[in-house]
Amino acid sequence: MDRFERHEALRKRHPVVAGQFYPGQEPALARQVATLLGDAGPRESALTVLAMVPHAGYVYSGAVAGRTLGRARLADRIVLLGPNHPGRGRRLAVWPDGAWAIPGRLVPVDEALAGALLAADNRLTADMDAHLEEHSLEGVLPFLAATNPACRGGPVAVSENDPAVLAEVAEAMAKVLAAEKTPVSIVVSSDMSHYIPHEAAKARDSLALERVLALDPQGLYQVVRQQDITMCGVLPMVLGLTVAKALGATQAVLAAYATSGEVSGDYHQVVGYAGVLVRQSA
């Protein structure tokens, strides 16, 4: 079966890493996600403006994702921002309608939200190709659906690497979200350093996370480039953090951090994983 189907008005994206990154059958997936979410601390009292979570196989990054999203208080409507690992499609690719399938359910696309984003800036482009083989947003959806079955998303694959363009597009996106009659949160999917020793990953990732926690998207972009930090979702995070600031976000907290070495026992080549929650002051 093709991973992209058209049934009249429905465009359905089929999962590409089910059975690899996470269980391919709904009962096993539900059990694992519930266990991972169960390790989270108390839920935030204020609405989460933005959450950043990793997207590797659940055996490695699921604990960080669960502790972060289990604590988040996300709106029903979510702008989903992820990187574009395969490099297909447009630089700011919006999946415009239909639904994304995960084992056991469909997560609907918020077509009104996607349409408003597309109308806000012509650099945001309706493009499914960028999403078909990209796993970063897919891996987050089981957590979002488990915490809120009513959630619906506006998926955007981000490979635009010009920080000035990201800032301009973020301004347009923030105006859309601010004008919505119901709240909209942002979820960014990103891993941190890739395939370096554990202590080096922690040191480099702390430099990037310092800028994230300071709500400094341009500083994040610069330190990742200057320090050669292999944070695969730096571009969507720069975009999302800029939108969050424009919406009035004033605080960011590190909800969780780990590396793959803590699971595999191989501390010579690890991937770093961080969970961040961004909110307005109480």
Side-chain angles (χ1 to χ4, degrees):
M1 181 180 291
D2 291 341
R3 295 188 179 111
F4 173 77
E5 287 184 348
R6 187 187 302 271
H7 297 297
E8 296 179 351
L10 175 65
R11 305 173 200 257
K12 183 166 65 174
R13 181 196 179 275
H14 291 275
V16 295
V17 291
Q20 302 172 55
F21 282 37
Y22 59 85
Q25 301 298 318
E26 191 276 334
L29 176 60
R31 287 193 298 270
Q32 185 174 24
V33 170
T35 298
L36 295 169
L37 289 169
D39 291 333
R43 196 176 183 202
E44 295 275 292
S45 57
L47 180 72
T48 300
V49 179
L50 180 150
M52 185 187 84
V53 290
H55 53 247
Y58 285 8
V59 66
Y60 297 112
S61 68
V64 171
R67 289 201 298 270
T68 304
L69 293 175
R71 182 174 161 185
R73 185 176 292 274
L74 296 166
D76 291 350
R77 309 175 72 195
I78 302 171
V79 174
L80 298 159
L81 304 177
N84 185 342
H85 293 92
R88 294 175 53 173
R90 306 300 293 269
R91 291 188 171 191
L92 292 160
V94 180
W95 188 287
D97 53 28
W100 283 36
I102 56 174
R105 72 172 69 213
L106 294 175
V107 178
V109 172
D110 190 321
E111 298 180 14
L113 179 59
L117 292 174
L118 289 168
D121 192 300
N122 61 14
R123 288 167 290 195
L124 289 161
T125 308
D127 175 24
M128 283 71 69
D129 285 345
H131 294 274
L132 292 178
E133 301 295 333
E134 173 54 50
H135 66 277
S136 60
L137 297 181
E138 174 189 329
V140 178
L141 290 181
F143 289 97
L144 299 180
T147 55
N148 179 9
C151 74
R152 54 196 190 276
V156 186
V158 182
S159 58
E160 174 56 62
N161 59 11
D162 185 334
V165 172
L166 291 173
E168 293 165 3
V169 173
E171 181 179 358
M173 292 175 63
K175 289 178 180 177
V176 169
L177 271 55
E180 291 294 311
K181 294 181 180 179
T182 56
V184 180
S185 294
I186 303 162
V187 170
V188 176
S189 180
S190 180
D191 295 340
M192 301 299 293
S193 289
H194 286 66
Y195 311 126
I196 60 175
H198 175 79
E199 292 300 328
K202 289 173 62 179
R204 292 191 192 183
D205 291 348
S206 68
L207 297 174
L209 291 169
E210 182 180 82
R211 292 299 89 212
V212 171
L213 298 179
L215 301 179
D216 180 9
Q218 293 303 310
L220 171 63
Y221 182 92
Q222 291 167 5
V223 75
V224 165
R225 293 295 183 260
Q226 292 168 359
Q227 299 297 325
D228 192 27
I229 302 169
T230 50
M231 177 182 178
C232 58
V234 62
L235 300 176
M237 189 54 178
V238 168
L239 179 63
L241 199 57
T242 307
V243 175
K245 282 191 68 177
L247 293 174
T250 57
Q251 296 178 334
V253 296
L254 182 64
Y257 180 84
T259 77
S260 59
E262 295 169 51
V263 174
S264 69
D266 179 0
Y267 289 92
H268 297 290
Q269 282 199 331
V270 307
V271 179
Y273 311 115
V276 175
L277 298 173
V278 178
R279 60 188 177 226
Q280 295 177 336
S281 297

